[in-house]
């Protein structure tokens, strides 16, 4: 196992940069590590990483050939898997990266069963990422690939057996041009830290909110939302849900959001602590998605809610689930959504990701639906793509 902590990697990068400051010509170097976002509903998500490649003006260059299976769910709490350690490459600008995957991809469900993960034909030549890296002579770039396993697995049920598709959602960041938000999430009544809950960093644009990074809190309720690109403002958001061993929600908390936190070169680190009250009531949203996704398309569904974000109201994503395709069509379910009073209105939006002819990911969103979720009940909200 080639595993390191993010803190250790940052120290190594700084030492490397200091040691090479006087070098002005020659090649550069690049290291590549893998991290993961939270993936509730699975015990393991194993991906077979064969090669790591990068493309510049002279075409594709192989950075390394790890040729090993990595359990993404082991990459939590600041742990990263090193795929490439100090590969030499020509100085210059690089605009694409890709991970070439093998056939040993599997998912282990909460019931202990193991299923193959099929990679769609459009990504068999490599999972591509658009990047913008400038490699300077005599320096080392430390690149982290965020592999979001939760948004990368899609279920197609055929008859009595399920087919699990691996449609990787990946982003790559040069660690030296990123920042972070850190803090602790607590239960408002007991003051105890909330372990194992999801917290996200979101940006808001003309198309609405978007999740840039997601992590889980540790046993003490602490979290670090790292790898946030600089020169942007982020909202830290959490709607804690406690799950049992089968993945069913047992306790749900009212959601909260931070004020906008600006991350820049001069202020690369932000902080947000929050205490959460248990929801007085919960409800659920279910529905269908049309037209039904076909491989290599995958759909995720978001529940959005207007939250107090530092004295201003901001619509943000409080939960995300993956839709499922079976013989009757495509459906989704979002359980244990907090409800205030008799009902709470959520905005429901689906995101469909697919591949263009070159294998690069493209994404579209559905028309939004409004769901008035009743306390202790369920409401249906259908979603459709143009």
């Amino acid at each position: 196992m080639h595993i390191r902590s993010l803190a250790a990697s940052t120290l190594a990068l700084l030492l490397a940069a200091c040691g090479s400051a006087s070098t002005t010509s020659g090649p550069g170097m690049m290291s590549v590590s893998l991290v993961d976002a939270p993936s509730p509903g699975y015990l393991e998500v194993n991906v077979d990483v064969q090669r790591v490649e990068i493309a510049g003006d002279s075409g594709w260059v192989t950075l390394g050939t790890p040729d090993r299976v990595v359990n993404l769910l082991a990459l939590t709490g600041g742990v990263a898997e090193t795929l490439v350690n100090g590969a030499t490459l020509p100085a210059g600008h690089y605009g694409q990266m890709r991970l070439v995957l093998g056939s040993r991809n599997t998912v282990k469900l909460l019931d202990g069963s193991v299923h193959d993960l099929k990679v769609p034909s459009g990504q068999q030549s490599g999972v591509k990422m658009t990047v913008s890296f400038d490699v300077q002579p005599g320096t080392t770039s430390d690149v982290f690939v965020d592999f979001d396993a939760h948004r990368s697995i899609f279920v197609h049920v055929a008859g009595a057996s399920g087919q699990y598709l691996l449609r990787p959602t990946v982003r790559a960041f040069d660690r030296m041009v990123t920042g972070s938000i850190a803090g602790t999430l607590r239960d408002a009544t007991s003051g105890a830290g909330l372990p194992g809950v999801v917290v996200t960093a979101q940006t808001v644009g003309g198309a609405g909110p978007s999740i840039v990074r997601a992590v889980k809190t540790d046993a003490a309720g602490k979290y670090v939302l790292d790898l946030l690109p600089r020169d942007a403002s982020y909202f830290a958001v959490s709607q804690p849900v406690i799950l049992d061993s089968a993945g069913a929600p047992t306790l749900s908390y009212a959601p909260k959001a931070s004020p906008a936190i600006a991350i820049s070169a001069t202020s690369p680190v932000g902080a947000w602590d929050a205490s959460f009250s248990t929801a007085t009531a919960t409800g659920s949203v279910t529905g269908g998605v049309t037209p039904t996704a076909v491989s290599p398309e995958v759909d995720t569904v978001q529940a959005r809610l207007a939250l107090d974000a530092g004295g201003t109201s901001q619509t943000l994503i409080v939960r995300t689930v993956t839709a499922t395709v079976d013989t009757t069509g495509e459906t989704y379910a979002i359980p244990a959504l907090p409800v205030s009073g008799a009902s709470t209105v959520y905005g429901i939006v689906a995101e469909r990701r697919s591949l263009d002819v070159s294998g690069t990911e493209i994404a579209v969103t559905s028309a939004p639906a409004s769901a008035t979720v009743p306390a202790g009940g369920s409401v249906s909200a259908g979603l459709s793509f143009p």
Side-chain angles (χ1 to χ4, degrees):
M1 296 287 286
H2 298 261
I3 294 179
R4 57 175 172 168
S5 71
L6 298 190
S9 68
T10 301
L11 177 60
L13 177 60
L14 292 174
L15 292 174
C18 292
S20 59
S22 61
T23 304
T24 59
S25 62
M29 298 182 73
M30 181 173 287
S31 295
V32 181
S33 300
L34 197 63
V35 295
D36 182 33
S39 307
Y42 309 112
L43 294 177
E44 295 178 5
V45 177
N46 300 297
V47 293
D48 181 7
V49 184
Q50 293 289 304
R51 297 193 311 278
V52 182
E53 301 176 347
I54 194 166
D57 295 337
S58 300
W60 288 97
V61 175
T62 298
L63 290 174
T65 55
D67 188 17
R68 62 178 179 270
V69 176
V70 180
N71 176 17
L72 296 176
L73 302 196
L75 308 182
T76 60
V79 175
E81 175 92 9
T82 301
L83 300 177
V84 178
N85 189 12
T88 300
L89 73 167
H93 181 76
Y94 293 85
Q96 277 193 312
M97 288 189 72
R98 65 186 176 196
L99 301 180
V100 178
L101 303 182
S103 60
R104 300 172 294 174
N105 306 294
T106 60
V107 58
K108 188 174 188 178
L109 305 185
L110 294 177
D111 63 8
S113 61
V114 178
H115 301 264
D116 290 335
L117 284 171
K118 179 182 177 182
V119 179
S121 57
Q123 289 187 319
Q124 287 176 357
S125 62
V127 181
K128 294 180 181 178
M129 297 158 273
T130 299
V131 299
S132 183
F133 298 149
D134 291 302
V135 176
Q136 302 298 328
T139 65
T140 298
S141 298
D142 212 22
V143 173
F144 282 76
V145 176
D146 181 12
F147 197 125
D148 191 339
H150 177 58
R151 297 177 60 218
S152 297
I153 299 175
F154 196 51
V155 183
H156 280 262
V157 178
S161 62
Q163 183 181 78
Y164 291 79
L165 299 181
L166 178 63
R167 276 280 289 102
T169 295
V170 289
R171 299 181 184 183
F173 306 93
D174 185 337
R175 188 166 180 79
M176 285 297 288
V177 292
T178 65
S180 64
I181 300 170
T184 303
L185 307 186
R186 301 182 184 277
D187 182 290
T189 301
S190 68
L194 292 173
V197 301
V198 176
V199 56
T200 62
Q202 302 181 27
T203 56
V204 177
S210 176
I211 295 174
V212 177
R213 184 84 165 103
V215 297
K216 275 188 177 181
T217 57
D218 66 12
K222 298 181 182 298
Y223 71 91
V224 179
L225 284 162
D226 56 353
L227 303 179
L228 301 179
R230 295 178 188 170
D231 300 322
S233 290
Y234 301 90
F235 297 93
V237 182
S238 186
Q239 192 269 296
V241 179
I242 308 302
L243 307 175
D244 63 17
S245 59
T250 60
L251 187 61
S252 189
Y253 290 80
K256 281 192 172 183
S258 74
I261 300 173
I263 299 297
S264 66
T266 56
S267 299
V269 178
W272 181 60
D273 298 321
S275 295
F276 294 80
S277 300
T278 55
T280 55
T282 63
S284 62
V285 181
T286 62
V289 181
T290 57
T292 299
V294 296
S295 180
E297 297 172 339
V298 298
D299 294 342
T300 52
V301 180
Q302 305 169 353
R304 300 177 175 182
L305 189 65
L307 300 177
D308 178 4
T312 62
S313 179
Q314 186 68 62
T315 297
L316 297 161
I317 301 165
V318 296
R319 291 274 288 284
T320 302
V321 299
T322 304
T324 299
V325 172
D326 60 22
T327 54
T328 62
E330 182 176 2
T331 59
Y332 72 92
I334 311 176
L337 287 170
V339 175
S340 300
S343 62
T344 295
V345 178
Y346 284 85
I348 309 298
V349 177
E351 179 187 62
R352 174 163 291 176
R353 295 176 294 111
S354 188
L355 303 173
D356 64 15
V357 292
S358 69
T360 301
E361 184 174 279
I362 55 176
V364 296
T365 56
S366 70
S370 179
T372 302
V373 182
S378 181
V379 65
S380 178
L383 299 171
S384 62
F385 288 94

